[in-house]
DNA sequence: AATCTACATTATAATAATTCTAAACTATTG
DNA sequence: CAATAGTTTAGAATTATTATAATGTAGATT
């Protein structure tokens, strides 16, 4: 259970001023057991609830992108119509539930390492990520 | 080298009226050796050039989505800020060049089959796709 | 071939997500 | 305490996409 002062230090280390909005955002994002996925709108709601006070949408966008640039957050592309972010910034795979639009992390045991046999000259591989799209199985098997 | 009459038939089979806009769109999309990737704006430009006449953006959006629903096109999510479409509608993997924003298809020889060991009860797997992000390799190795 | 009708195209307006702007505010430094 | 550089904010601007409603057209019916 990290305390706010950790977030203050964390923000300072990265060159961001620890304002009350950013600290609240850190609490919402990082004061939890597990990493999670969210959209900007999700996040605005969560912060507003925890603050009993509105936070400007622009601030959330700006700070999310600042965090992303610093490697505190990662953007996930599964749906070209919506931006998802992930507090799990490591390279990892996902299940995406097409019914609920829920993103689920895979841990390393869930998917064997992907073997890339092609290499493109002059280019290095930055990441290899698998997206498994799932949906409810309505094949009523007899 | 398919002729237009093939596109007319193709459109008819699917229940779409073969209008001159749709036929032109088919030519641009399918009258070529290899499949390719495009954005809506790419496509509007390509069609307008081939027609010597403007085509409405709404028509392109509507028809692209009609084609997508019919399985003639596939939407690819690599960048949450832009929609890419693919005339290769089969399940396949991609390289995404982060320098040029170019999408490159992998063929089956390029990546070994991905082994999913996790299964989620009540859900079936719709697709498994790998995205390999690449960028220029600037490690000037001595 | 002329007419009919359902479906298409189009210009334009509406919506939604994101970014920009510039004024008011605040954390930090001296 | 100022002074200052960085921050938040409301609202405007921009961009991508979708909806609307008037006009046009492909294919069927006479
Ligand atoms: Mn973004
Ligand atoms: Mn779409
Ligand atoms: Zn994740
Ligand atoms: Zn492709």
């Amino acid at each position: 259970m990290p305390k706010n002062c950790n977030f203050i230090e964390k923000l300072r280390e990265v060159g961001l001023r620890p304002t009350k909005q950013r600290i609240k955002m850190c609490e919402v994002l990082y004061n939890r057991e597990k990493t999670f996925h969210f959209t900007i709108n999700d996040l605005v709601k969560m912060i507003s609830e925890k603050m009993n006070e509105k936070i400007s949408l622009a601030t959330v966008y700006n700070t999310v992108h600042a965090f992303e640039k610093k490697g505190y957050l990662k953007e996930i592309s599964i749906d070209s119509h919506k931006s998802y972010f992930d507090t799990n910034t490591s390279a990892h795979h996902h299940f995406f539930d097409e019914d609920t639009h829920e993103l689920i992390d895979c841990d390393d045991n869930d998917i064997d390492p992907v073997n890339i046999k092609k290499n493109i000259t002059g280019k290095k591989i930055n990441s290899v990520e698998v997206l498994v799209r799932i949906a409810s199985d309505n094949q009523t098997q007899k």
Side-chain angles (χ1 to χ4, degrees), chain A residues 137-142:
Chain A
D137 185 0
N138 285 325
Q139 272 71 261
T140 31
Q141 65 286 309
K142 303 277 163 51

Side-chain angles (χ1 to χ4, degrees), chain A residues 74 88 90-95 104-114 128-130:
Chain A
K74 187 176 165 184
N88 178 354
S90 69
H92 62 285
H93 309 308
H94 289 100
F95 286 83
I104 302 163
D105 275 358
C106 291
D107 61 47
D108 287 337
N109 303 325
D110 295 333
I111 294 183
D112 281 338
V114 178
V128 177
E129 292 189 1
V130 178

